[in-house]
């Protein structure tokens, strides 16, 4: 059963459904390795982040296992009752793109209207972020407080609630699984520096810089989550190794090389007769 092209407007759930059907039909047997993210994106004619969201969904469902540096493997199906309801979970990249659009505009306006008290609340969240271990629940609490504090400077309860609710989607199992692969103390320090850039632009009442700093922060968050699992590098190396072996086996002996081999045989034969 060949893969079918998926329209770009479709979300990761349709991709996961199609891959799941291929697994159920035996196209990809238990223990086999799926094509790489790049290959799947090319076959399905969709973006790689959408493929990644689909693969993460299947891993959470217990249908595949992602092995960093090796590939994505089909595993024995887990208990279907334990899988989350895909229809009510948004994809991690969808959420980050939505936040990038919304919170950039909020940061821009915050730079226009933020008071000293608003900046003090933002500063308090940054201090808390500096003194917490990551990844962990506490770091997420303080990260959320930072983004909510910026929204709060606009004096709009609806925006505060929306920003908080969007951030809380990081707690969904798909986002948590993706973060498991890529979040570390190092990425936390990088994100903290990005947060400080947003804070400084707001405190300086520079709307353009505040908007751009927030946009960069959330765009780079997407980039961090989109890093290569390493499977493609391994697959390329394996393919190159096979190619070298095939070329070595298929390489015919040139007349010059054949003559040298024959001469060596004759020398050995002559030496043996003299002994």
């Amino acid at each position: 059963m060949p893969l079918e092209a998926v329209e770009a407007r479709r979300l990761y759930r349709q991709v996961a459904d199609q891959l799941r059907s291929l697994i159920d039909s035996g196209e990809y047997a238990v223990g086999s390795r799926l094509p790489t993210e790049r290959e799947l994106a090319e076959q399905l004619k969709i973006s790689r982040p959408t493929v990644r969201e689909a693969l993460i969904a299947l891993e959470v469902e217990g249908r595949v296992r992602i092995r960093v540096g090796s590939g994505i493997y089909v595993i024995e199906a887990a208990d279907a009752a334990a899988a989350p309801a895909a229809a009510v979970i948004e994809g991690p990249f969808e959420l980050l793109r939505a936040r990038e659009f919304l919170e950039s505009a909020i940061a821009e306006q915050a730079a226009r209207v933020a008071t000293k008290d608003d900046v003090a609340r933002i500063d308090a969240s940054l201090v808390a972020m500096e003194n917490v271990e990551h990844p962990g629940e506490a770091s997420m609490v303080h990260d959320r407080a930072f983004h909510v504090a910026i929204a709060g400077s606009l004096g709009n309860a609806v925006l505060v609630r929306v920003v908080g609710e969007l951030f809380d989607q990081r707690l969904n199992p798909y986002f948590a699984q993706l973060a498991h692969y890529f979040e570390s103390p190092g990425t936390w320090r990088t994100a903290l520096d990005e947060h400080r850039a947003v804070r400084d632009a707001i405190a300086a009442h520079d709307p353009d810089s505040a908007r751009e700093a927030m946009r960069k922060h959330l765009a780079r968050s997407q980039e961090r989550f989109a890093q290569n699992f390493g499977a493609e590098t391994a697959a390329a190396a394996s393919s190159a190794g096979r190619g070298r072996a095939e070329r070595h086996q298929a390489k015919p002996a040139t007349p010059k090389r054949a003559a040298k081999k024959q001469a060596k045989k004759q020398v050995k034969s002559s030496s043996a007769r003299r002994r």
Side-chain angles (χ1 to χ4, degrees), residues 52 56 59 92-93 96 134-136 140 170-185 187 221 224-227 229:
R52 175 157 295 192
I56 288 293
E59 184 174 43
F93 290 98
L96 287 170
H134 183 80
M140 289 298 94
R170 286 190 60 126
L171 302 177
N172 79 48
Y174 296 172
F175 210 127
Q177 188 68 15
L178 186 61
H180 162 74
Y181 289 108
F182 299 109
E183 290 199 335
S184 67
T187 63
S221 293
R224 286 189 280 271
F225 285 133
Q227 292 178 61
F229 281 122

Side-chain angles (χ1 to χ4, degrees), residues 36-42 46-55 93 226-229 232:
T36 65
E37 288 179 290
R38 178 182 57 78
E39 291 168 338
L40 288 171
E42 290 175 353
I46 55 175
S47 69
R48 288 180 65 172
T50 300
V51 170
R52 175 157 295 192
E53 288 174 332
L55 293 173
F93 290 98
Q227 292 178 61
N228 199 317
F229 281 122
E232 294 182 10

Side-chain angles (χ1 to χ4, degrees), residues 79 84 114 260 265:
D79 182 4
K260 286 184 177 180
K265 287 181 179 179

